Amino acid sequence: MEYEKTNAFQSIWKHLFRTPHRMSWIDVDGVSTRYLEAGAPDAPPLLLLHGTAGSLENFSANYAAYAEDFRVIGLDLLGCGLTDKPDFDYLIPDYVDHVLGFMNAMGIESASLVGVSLGSWVSAALAYAHPARVVSLAMVSPAGIITDPDEERRVAESIRARRTQAAQTPTWETIAAAMRSLVLHPDTMIDDVIAIRLDIYSDPAMKAAMPHLLAFTGGKDAMNPEQWRNLIQPVLVVAAIDSPNMFLTNARAIAELTPRAQLLELAGCDHWAQFEQAERFNSATIDFFRKQYQARCS
């Protein structure tokens, strides 16, 4: 019984303690950028891009599995986590430039990308603008497409309200409420992740930066249907089928529009499929990325 309790316990460190990795910072065009890297240095690169005002800990349940096949790197996006927070509004092209600059600084010529929500939007925009730099994409709870303008505005307003409140009054209760809204089953959101987010949001710099981080939610940088049709990379679109919301609609629309897209339907999860259904998510995405690199090398 005691072993069962221990084995069921989840934490960021429990996900990582068996996996060689390093956490560091690198200068990206004047922006000190935090990242976590694991896997063989000569393995195919795989970048992990988190969602709105998130951090690299969002992928804590994925690093170990990915590191067996890839040089996997999660980074805190522009203004997010412990990355620098320059004083201007961050729009999608700014996030794209930051990721591209990060790749250049790390010596990565091309990579596959996993993006969650905002991260999926940034990854698609990067793939469209710089197709030679992106091998393939996995998009989780995808943003960057407008299927219903009224619903898009409602969701954007909700995100702005929740994140602004969390940054203005960062208590355990406000952060826990925000984090638990990302999963279908609230008890699956572990205290470690809540605590890290609380620490990040308690920094006065984050309170000042939050309006900049939310500037993209105006939606003006969304990709139009023609751009999605001209996305040339293989794309795995992850649809959380138990959460019938805008992001599920987005996933299905992107899968229909994008010529080399395939749809992965996952039950038992909401916005954070990579976390809430980590084992199934890891297995499916690793298989997808392996096939893309094998096809590229053959």
Side-chain angles (χ1 to χ4, degrees), residues 50-69:
H50 60 73
T52 304
S55 69
L56 60 82
E57 284 80 13
N58 297 16
F59 297 101
S60 56
N62 313 116
Y63 290 111
Y66 283 146
E68 294 183 13
D69 290 90

Side-chain angles (χ1 to χ4, degrees), residues 30-52:
V31 175
S32 179
T33 301
R34 184 177 69 130
Y35 67 95
L36 187 153
E37 181 175 14
D42 59 349
L46 178 64
L47 301 186
L48 311 183
L49 309 184
H50 60 73
T52 304

Side-chain angles (χ1 to χ4, degrees), residues 11 15 27-30 57 60 65 79 97 108 123 131 149 151 168 171 183 216 218 226 229 249 257 263 279 291 297:
S11 71
H15 285 303
D27 182 272
V28 178
D29 302 320
E57 284 80 13
S60 56
D97 287 347
I108 298 171
S123 66
E151 181 67 3
Q168 292 298 319
T171 65
V183 292
F216 81 93
E226 191 62 24
R229 291 189 189 98
T249 304
L257 284 169
L263 188 68
E279 187 173 342
K291 289 177 180 176
C297 294

Side-chain angles (χ1 to χ4, degrees), residues 67-113:
E68 294 183 13
D69 290 90
F70 305 104
R71 177 191 177 193
V72 57
I73 306 171
L75 65 147
D76 288 347
L77 295 175
L78 179 67
C80 299
L82 300 185
T83 287
D84 279 351
K85 297 159 178 57
D87 188 15
F88 63 88
D89 286 348
Y90 315 144
L91 301 179
I92 298 303
D94 300 308
Y95 285 111
V96 168
D97 287 347
H98 179 246
V99 175
L100 190 64
F102 178 80
M103 292 174 67
N104 293 339
M106 295 290 289
I108 298 171
E109 184 61 33
S110 62
S112 288
L113 306 174

Side-chain angles (χ1 to χ4, degrees), residues 139-162:
M139 304 181 69
V140 185
S141 300
I145 186 171
I146 297 178
T147 55
D148 182 333
D150 291 337
E151 181 67 3
E152 175 78 19
R153 281 191 293 272
R154 187 194 68 77
V155 171
E157 288 170 2
S158 176
I159 291 172
R160 285 193 293 269
R162 290 199 310 270

